[in-house]
Amino acid sequence: MSVADAPQERSFMVAADVCRDFDRSSRLEWLETNHTGAFAMGTVAGVNTRRYHALLIASLNPPADRFSILSRVEETVNAGGREFELGAAQYPGEIHPRGFEFLEDFRIDPFPAWRYQTAEIIIRKTLCLMDGQQSVLVRYEATGVCQLTVRLFASCRDYHSLARQNSALAPTAKSEPGRIEFAPYPGLPPLTVFHSGFAFSAGDAWYLNNEYPRELERGLDFREDLFSPGSISFQLAPDRTAWFVASVDSSPPGDRFDDTRIDAILTAEASRRHVKPALARALDQFRVTRFDGKPSLIAGYPWFTDWSRDTLISLPALALAGFPDSEIAAILTMLLEQRSQGLLPNRFADRRSIPEYNTVDATLWFFIAADDFIRRTDDRNFLRSILYPAARDILHWHHRGTFYNIVVDAEDHLLSAGAPGVQLTWMDAKIGDYVVTPRAGKPVEVNALWYNALRIASAWAESLGFEEESANHAAEAAATRASFEKKFWNHQHGCLYDLLTPGSHDAAIRPNQLFAVSLPYPLLDPERAQSLVNVVRETLLTPVGLRTLDPADPAYRPRFEGDMANRDAAY
């Protein structure tokens, strides 16, 4: 059974006219993930335009410690006495090779797949990250007899960095039939390439000044030197495929790789993906299993690992998309197990997955996600044993005071937070020690979340029979709401202040105020709520979402462009 025989639905396809237009196809990007934090990413044109483009970016401590291992390959086809180069790379003043000029189409059905026209022969290239492994599989099919040569380009570096020609790299690859092992640096797992080729030609050479134009646009270093340990030669025919598996797993199942096994891997993975609706498949790309076997979610590719705020905001939507309740419960449990002094981690670091706690709102989003879970499942055992004990602990620490001066103000019952040089809300852009949007004090959305946390805790306590605790939470919530309505309402503009600080009110019109009327327990009466929504609609709404600041504000930055500092200032 081939991949084409697997259940099909409408695929994403880019036609030849777009594929062969380099300006367009080099800006169309694809992403392939495998539930470990590893990923493959690139462009329809086949050229790498970011430092994060590679055929294998492995996660050595899932989902963290990510390394770009196999940057790309360049294929050359010999057919009918002619030679066709299918790869693509950008160098100073030149794009070479220009394989995109042979592209008939690019599809994701359900894998990234390129179809090239060479002479009278069609070559189809399919790429798949092997689920749960630090391995990428690439297979080639042809409609006629030809010889294929695949040159390997290794990056072998932290995925945020760029490689340079250096003498520390060990250049020699060990080769035996069907297997190549390349160990360029001590401390980095060797790259093992299993293949169906008939020969490996060592050709250890550096290819200098590969250019990544998207990095240039970001104001960053954009040139990299890549090392090629050599190339693999294959025979292709209508009844004979070619393939390789590149892996940094400590014990990859290489002894089981043959044509039958490769076909079975692709067929099984295609079937698994086609079972899910398109939206669920897209969301599935963000699911990961951490190094300790616990589930989590990646906040976004290619830069992020798992961030609690993003995860918790997403869980109710993921439930609607069909994520199993058992996995959502496990994610909630995992985050709660990581809490410190009443705070959930803001994120897990790229290196060693160490939790960082510089957030005031992520912990409060726990109440929203967990409340949605309990409303849907009515899982009282989970509420009694896990969720409510954690809620007690979280509320206690917020009243007592915890990291970064996060504490409830005893006078007005509002939640305050802030420390010099630290950004604690979702508006967290920072340039060096400069916080772009300082919001130390009492942010509007944080207090909307705090009020909801109190109301949810009260409802939980009541359902569990803790009547006195429920009454105490409810009384605190009522006091919080009274202060909120009194202090946050901006009579002049008919909406809410964004931030309260001692002696001042920040009247900047931002979307944060919407949480006061959109969370499960609103804080405003219907008349004020409608006024707030009208102001936001008239001031911030665009066809593609909400601005983060009133365009009339002197601090408004209308475009996200330029180098990193300028982008962060706008971000």
Side-chain angles (χ1 to χ4, degrees), residues 32-165:
E32 171 83 356
T33 71
N34 71 348
H35 303 131
T36 71
F39 64 95
M41 189 178 185
T43 68
V44 168
V47 63
N48 289 348
T49 60
R50 301 184 188 273
R51 67 185 66 202
Y52 302 101
H53 286 168
L55 302 185
L56 176 60
I57 292 183
S59 179
L60 304 186
N61 189 31
D65 285 350
R66 287 183 280 194
F67 285 79
S68 177
I69 302 295
L70 182 63
S71 177
R72 59 185 174 88
V73 296
E74 286 185 2
E75 302 94 346
T76 302
V77 173
N78 283 281
R82 297 175 60 191
E83 186 173 272
F84 303 88
E85 294 182 295
L86 306 186
Q90 181 165 328
Y91 297 97
E94 184 177 10
I95 299 166
H96 180 81
R98 301 175 63 88
F100 55 88
E101 294 177 344
F102 300 109
L103 272 172
E104 286 292 294
D105 58 53
F106 169 86
R107 297 174 183 266
I108 297 180
D109 56 354
F111 315 109
W114 296 258
R115 201 163 60 98
Y116 298 90
Q117 176 73 60
T118 61
E120 302 301 319
I121 296 175
I122 296 288
I123 305 292
R124 178 180 169 87
K125 172 184 176 181
T126 302
L127 180 148
C128 174
L129 278 193
M130 296 171 62
D131 196 51
Q133 301 181 38
Q134 306 306 312
S135 308
V136 63
L137 187 165
V138 179
R139 187 174 74 171
Y140 301 90
E141 301 163 276
T143 59
V145 177
C146 60
Q147 182 171 313
L148 171 71
T149 302
V150 177
R151 176 168 291 280
L152 308 172
F153 289 83
S155 38
C156 298
R157 42 86 172 169
D158 178 276
Y159 82 132
H160 288 309
S161 305
L162 290 175
R164 291 286 182 269
Q165 182 178 12

Side-chain angles (χ1 to χ4, degrees), residues 9 11 22 40 96 116 119 122 155-156 188 261 283-284 298 316 346 352 368 370 381 383 501 546 549 568 570:
E9 65 177 56
S11 65
F22 183 78
H96 180 81
Y116 298 90
I122 296 288
S155 38
C156 298
L188 191 66
R261 176 61 177 163
L283 293 173
D284 186 67
I298 289 289
N346 182 32
R352 298 176 297 281
I368 307 300
N381 290 332
L383 177 61
T501 58
L546 294 172
L549 183 62
D568 280 345

